[in-house]
Amino acid sequence: MVVRAWPWSAPSSAPFSTTKGGPLTVINRTDAELVEASLAGEREAFDLIVERHRRNVYQLCYRFVANQDDAADLAQDVFVRAFRGLRNFKGEASLGTWLYRIGVNVCLNRLAVKTPTSESLEPLFLANDERIAAPGESATEALLRGERQRRVRAAIARLPKKQRATLILRVYHEMPHEQIAGILGSSVGAVKANFFHAMNNLKKLLQ
Amino acid sequence: MSHLSPAEFVDLVDGTLPAPRAAHAGDCADCRAQAEALHVVLRAAADVAVPDPPPFFWDGLSARIRAAVAETTPASRWRALVPLASAAALVVAVGGGIWIARSTERMPAPPSNPSPVAERSLVAMPDDATLDAANGEVWDVLTSVASEMQIEDATAAGMTVYPAAVDRAVQKLTPDELSELGRLLSELKRSGD
């Protein structure tokens, strides 16, 4: 279930305030130790897992939906599913990879059921970052750069789902093909073929 | 020498293509043009950043995740096994049902004095109209059961879940198989209520 209300006033220091042994012992734990602590009932340990991985998970989701609100909903869904299935995390891959796997499944499922309203509308508008001129860049150049990014983002949104997932994991999360294959449940050959076709289709869409 | 394959183009872009094949990419105008085009596209894609959300966004995200997590509990080992056991039972039951149904089709005509059991089976077989009416219910039950399954449970069992895979699999079932699946799912759902 997605909690849509944003509890802005919730205390941000909660993850570290009630832990046995003091805050440092929580912060210094490895991901595997935090998983173990979460399973033992320490909610603060899971809070720290969220804090460590929320940016990557959110960015992964954003790449799929190109929309801040939807990406936040999806990121929340990823962490809730991760919490529910924490016992299934065996530590064979890193916690980050495991979260990516859940994230890709959640995003692909969302794309399978959701009409493309939000993802097709948002790229029509430039995000704030895209309108701000970088150092040494004129306002016109910043606008053109923003327009280029908007076109690429819209083109990526039109790629078939598997190609999009492969492109996102490879280009933006710099994953090796073997890891992408593990996440998508494909062979390395299929991942490379998907990546090639993603780039080829992107080229056609941008022409 | 043959042109580069899609996988070789990817290796070329990654800089991992063996030297002889990379040399071909330098000599062959078609492969060179394709490789250059891929480089251009890759640079354009890599240039697209995720806009930074406002600074208060991250604490808000953590807080709403905390609130959502507080409403749930981690699945116990036994609870995680329930959908898998159900799915396994379902596969066995459907497989068995279909096998029995197909065996029955191949069997000779029933004797003139059928046993009470056989009589009940014959009465229970729905006609085509009943099947059509039942299909809508089958979809309802299927959707309901599928929505309760966790991706993590399926993944932990070694299954890979692809979007719409269930739809595709079910679409391949015959009306009889679909009806049997619906009946079994209904029973499964009733026993879980």
Side-chain angles (χ1 to χ4, degrees):
Chain A
M1 192 193 82
V2 173
V3 177
R4 294 203 68 100
W6 285 72
W8 300 116
S9 55
S12 59
S13 58
F16 314 110
S17 57
T18 58
T19 309
K20 284 180 283 183
L24 279 177
T25 54
V26 178
I27 292 170
N28 291 339
R29 287 188 201 174
T30 63
D31 278 351
E33 288 168 340
L34 288 173
V35 169
E36 214 167 295
S38 298
L39 287 171
E42 284 184 49
R43 287 294 167 100
E44 299 81 11
F46 192 76
D47 286 341
L48 192 56
I49 289 175
V50 171
E51 192 150 334
R52 279 186 190 170
H53 295 279
R54 66 190 178 188
R55 180 177 284 273
N56 283 340
V57 168
Y58 167 80
Q59 289 190 338
L60 174 75
C61 297
Y62 188 95
R63 293 290 184 188
F64 277 94
V65 293
N67 172 301
Q68 184 177 301
D69 289 341
D70 286 349
D73 283 350
L74 289 171
Q76 177 184 319
D77 198 13
V78 171
F79 281 111
V80 169
R81 282 168 183 271
F83 182 74
R84 277 206 303 248
L86 213 50
R87 285 187 194 283
N88 297 327
F89 175 66
K90 304 292 183 222
E92 288 151 0
S94 72
L95 182 64
T97 301
W98 187 68
L99 289 170
Y100 273 135
R101 189 175 300 146
I102 297 172
V104 168
N105 276 322
V106 164
C107 291
L108 289 179
N109 282 337
R110 167 68 73 93
L111 294 182
V113 297
K114 195 170 190 277
T115 52
T117 315
S118 58
E119 64 189 353
S120 62
L121 285 181
E122 181 139 339
L124 294 174
F125 305 100
L126 300 186
N128 282 337
D129 285 13
E130 294 166 346
R131 286 190 291 253
I132 298 169
E137 190 180 43
S138 72
T140 312
E141 285 167 340
L143 209 61
L144 288 174
R145 176 173 53 84
E147 172 59 20
R148 259 198 318 273
Q149 292 193 5
R150 185 199 64 78
R151 284 189 63 223
V152 174
R153 193 175 288 132
I156 291 172
R158 291 177 63 188
L159 291 176
K161 290 193 291 285
K162 275 247 166 150
Q163 289 180 22
R164 194 184 334 182
T166 307
L167 184 90
I168 287 169
L169 294 173
R170 180 74 189 135
V171 175
Y172 302 116
H173 297 273
E174 298 177 348
M175 282 189 188
H177 300 295
E178 291 75 14
Q179 200 176 351
I180 298 172
I183 287 175
L184 295 179
S186 318
S187 65
V188 171
V191 168
K192 286 183 179 178
N194 267 325
F195 187 47
F196 173 80
H197 292 303
M199 290 192 290
N200 232 4
N201 285 333
L202 209 52
K203 183 179 77 180
K204 288 176 195 159
L205 288 165
L206 292 172
Q207 274 168 357
Chain B
M1 193 178 271
S2 61
H3 290 309
L4 298 187
S5 68
E8 285 178 320
F9 273 114
V10 172
D11 289 342
L12 183 68
V13 168
D14 288 347
T16 58
L17 188 66
R21 297 297 286 155
H24 167 78
D27 296 339
C28 169
D30 287 347
C31 289
R32 198 169 56 244
Q34 173 75 303
E36 281 168 5
L38 293 181
H39 273 295
V40 169
V41 169
L42 205 53
R43 272 199 300 274
D47 196 34
V48 179
V50 171
D52 257 343
F56 49 80
F57 172 85
W58 297 112
D59 280 347
L61 180 63
S62 286
R64 62 186 283 195
I65 291 170
R66 198 178 306 132
V69 162
E71 291 178 10
T72 187
T73 50
S76 71
R77 287 185 197 283
W78 288 113
R79 192 171 154 256
L81 288 174
V82 167
L84 296 176
S86 305
L90 186 66
V91 167
V92 171
V94 171
I98 291 167
W99 182 80
I100 289 166
R102 287 189 176 161
S103 304
T104 311
E105 281 170 15
R106 286 194 295 269
M107 281 169 66
S112 54
N113 271 339
S115 69
V117 174
E119 218 166 17
R120 273 203 304 277
S121 300
L122 289 172
V123 170
M125 286 293 284
D127 58 18
D128 286 350
T130 318
L131 275 178
D132 285 345
N135 284 351
E137 292 170 27
V138 171
W139 280 111
D140 290 345
V141 177
L142 251 183
T143 313
S144 161
V145 172
S147 69
E148 287 165 15
M149 284 198 75
Q150 296 301 315
I151 290 172
E152 300 82 36
D153 296 332
T155 307
M159 289 188 260
T160 306
V161 182
Y162 297 105
V166 174
D167 291 0
R168 280 197 298 275
V170 172
Q171 276 165 5
K172 288 179 185 166
L173 296 179
T174 65
D176 282 354
E177 291 166 349
L178 199 59
S179 176
E180 180 64 6
L181 178 60
R183 189 186 62 76
L184 290 165
L185 285 172
S186 297
E187 278 181 17
L188 189 67
K189 192 161 173 59
R190 269 198 301 277
S191 65
D193 287 342

